[in-house]
Amino acid sequence: MKSNSLVSIDQCSKEDILRILSNASKFEENPNRNLLEGKVAATLFFEPSTRTRLSFETAVNRLGGRVIGFQDASTTSSTKGETLKDTILMVSNYADLIIMRHHLEGAARYASEITNVPIINAGDGANQHPSQTLLDLYSIQKTQGTLDNLTITMVGDLKYGRTVHSLIVGMSHFNPTFHFVAPDELRMPEEQKTFCDKLGIKYSEHSDFTEEIINQTDILYMTRVQRERFTDLVEYERVKNVYILRNEMLQNSKDNLRVLHPLPRINEIAYDVDDSPKAYYIQQAQNGLYAREAIICELFGIEV
């Protein structure tokens, strides 16, 4: 990769992505490998997290390393006014790797510029979530047998959804076709559409979530409307339940279609979908362990 940190998926070439996914498959076969003996990873989560934090911590533990850190910024010295710079420099004294989630866009990149300790961006505002992208790509490759020439439909909060922003970049190496389904308030930002235009990536925008679109789809990527990104709660209430996937809507979909979701879900996937063989979001979360083991070893230059 272009750096010893992972702050954005655009650091990864096509070859980098395929190598990391290949290593993830090796960790799926054998996740318990004593490759990080003597290493300490710090998890700094300034925003709430369940799957990302736990899967990273599990990855470090299964690789034989140790974990320090926090999951609640209110218990740290940032409440006393300590700057992010000072927090990063202080933690760099103790850890060999920093895994950080922060509400400010660009926070992870800033951290990577002020320390020599590798940084993994575990989500920075509405910007990037590169490790989620790599586990999503691993899930897509596993379920489809390929990453090439797939139709991916993204539904819900496409304005603030950092997972979909990153996935567009990650999939850009593999000739995808995108459907963007969102209400006007949460449409895909111009930055991501311009990116697609420059690379000749095909996409279409929709405000209606129809079975016609679903039936063209290989990967149906659902997202929740993120209450924490809204300053106007009236606007949030108006759009939070605008799209709900129900099992009956999958009746005529492709056999290979799989439903992904970065989780947590609220109301956007009905519980009757859970029993469908096309539901893959729980397995997707499990794949996060293997992908994150591969990412950590990639940054340390450890051969798998």
Side-chain angles (χ1 to χ4, degrees):
M1 289 195 300
K2 296 178 183 177
S3 169
N4 71 334
S5 294
L6 178 61
V7 299
S8 175
I9 193 64
D10 61 13
Q11 293 173 234
C12 297
S13 66
K14 181 177 182 178
E15 292 73 23
D16 292 332
I17 290 170
L18 293 175
R19 181 177 61 254
I20 291 170
L21 300 191
S22 175
N23 288 338
S25 69
K26 296 176 185 177
F27 282 119
E28 183 167 5
E29 293 174 4
N30 179 17
N32 299 309
R33 310 269 296 277
N34 195 29
L35 299 174
L36 293 186
E37 186 175 2
K39 300 286 189 185
V40 175
T43 52
L44 310 185
F45 279 74
F46 294 86
E47 277 192 326
S49 172
T50 302
R51 279 148 300 279
T52 301
R53 181 179 62 83
L54 290 179
S55 64
F56 265 121
E57 292 183 356
T58 302
V60 173
N61 283 315
R62 289 196 179 277
L63 291 170
R66 297 188 178 184
V67 178
I68 62 173
F70 57 81
Q71 57 179 307
D72 182 356
S74 68
T75 65
T76 73
S77 291
S78 63
T79 61
K80 303 174 184 177
E82 183 174 70
T83 64
L84 178 60
K85 177 181 180 180
D86 284 358
T87 298
I88 295 300
L89 293 177
M90 181 272 296
V91 174
S92 297
N93 291 324
Y94 311 139
D96 303 289
L97 170 70
I98 294 174
I99 301 158
M100 186 176 80
R101 171 169 289 188
H102 203 280
H103 60 279
L104 292 178
E105 296 184 17
R109 185 172 301 280
Y110 173 70
S112 72
E113 292 170 351
I114 61 173
T115 180
N116 292 324
V117 172
I119 302 289
I120 296 179
N121 181 7
D124 60 333
N127 185 31
Q128 282 270 339
H129 198 344
S131 69
Q132 178 73 44
T133 303
L134 287 162
L135 79 88
D136 289 344
L137 293 172
Y138 184 56
S139 299
I140 293 168
Q141 185 183 65
K142 277 187 66 177
T143 61
Q144 305 300 310
T146 183
L147 290 170
D148 293 309
N149 306 312
L150 297 174
T151 297
I152 299 177
T153 298
M154 300 175 169
V155 182
D157 183 355
L158 308 187
K159 179 179 181 181
Y160 300 111
R162 57 193 173 201
T163 61
V164 293
H165 299 166
S166 293
L167 185 56
I168 288 171
V169 178
M171 282 299 304
S172 66
H173 303 285
F174 304 101
N175 191 36
T177 298
F178 291 117
H179 293 293
F180 300 144
V181 181
D184 288 343
E185 299 92 334
L186 298 174
R187 292 176 63 186
M188 187 65 74
E190 290 300 319
E191 179 182 354
Q192 279 70 37
K193 290 186 287 185
T194 299
F195 174 85
C196 290
D197 290 337
K198 285 182 178 179
L199 295 180
I201 296 171
K202 299 181 290 294
Y203 68 89
S204 57
E205 294 187 273
H206 314 268
S207 57
D208 293 328
F209 184 33
T210 65
E211 291 184 39
E212 180 183 0
I213 295 171
I214 293 172
N215 295 346
Q216 301 173 41
T217 298
D218 300 304
I219 293 293
L220 181 56
Y221 199 97
M222 303 295 297
T223 69
R224 73 182 173 94
V225 177
Q226 302 175 79
R227 184 178 186 275
E228 64 270 26
R229 306 292 177 214
F230 282 78
T231 55
D232 184 349
L233 292 184
V234 173
E235 182 181 1
Y236 167 75
E237 290 294 331
R238 186 169 62 249
V239 299
K240 68 176 182 178
N241 292 324
V242 66
Y243 305 125
I244 300 176
L245 178 66
R246 304 185 190 282
N247 194 38
E248 63 195 36
M249 298 168 69
L250 300 173
Q251 185 173 358
N252 297 313
S253 62
K254 293 182 177 182
D255 290 341
N256 65 295
L257 178 140
R258 292 297 180 270
V259 181
L260 302 187
H261 192 307
L263 302 176
R265 67 171 159 183
I266 308 300
N267 299 316
E268 60 278 357
I269 299 179
Y271 284 100
D272 65 359
V273 178
D274 294 358
D275 297 325
S276 169
K278 297 178 180 181
Y280 196 75
Y281 29 89
I282 302 302
Q283 298 96 316
Q284 176 189 1
Q286 182 180 18
N287 290 337
L289 169 62
Y290 316 128
R292 287 171 173 133
E293 286 186 293
I295 291 165
I296 290 168
C297 288
E298 177 82 13
L299 296 186
F300 281 126
I302 297 171
E303 289 193 20
V304 178

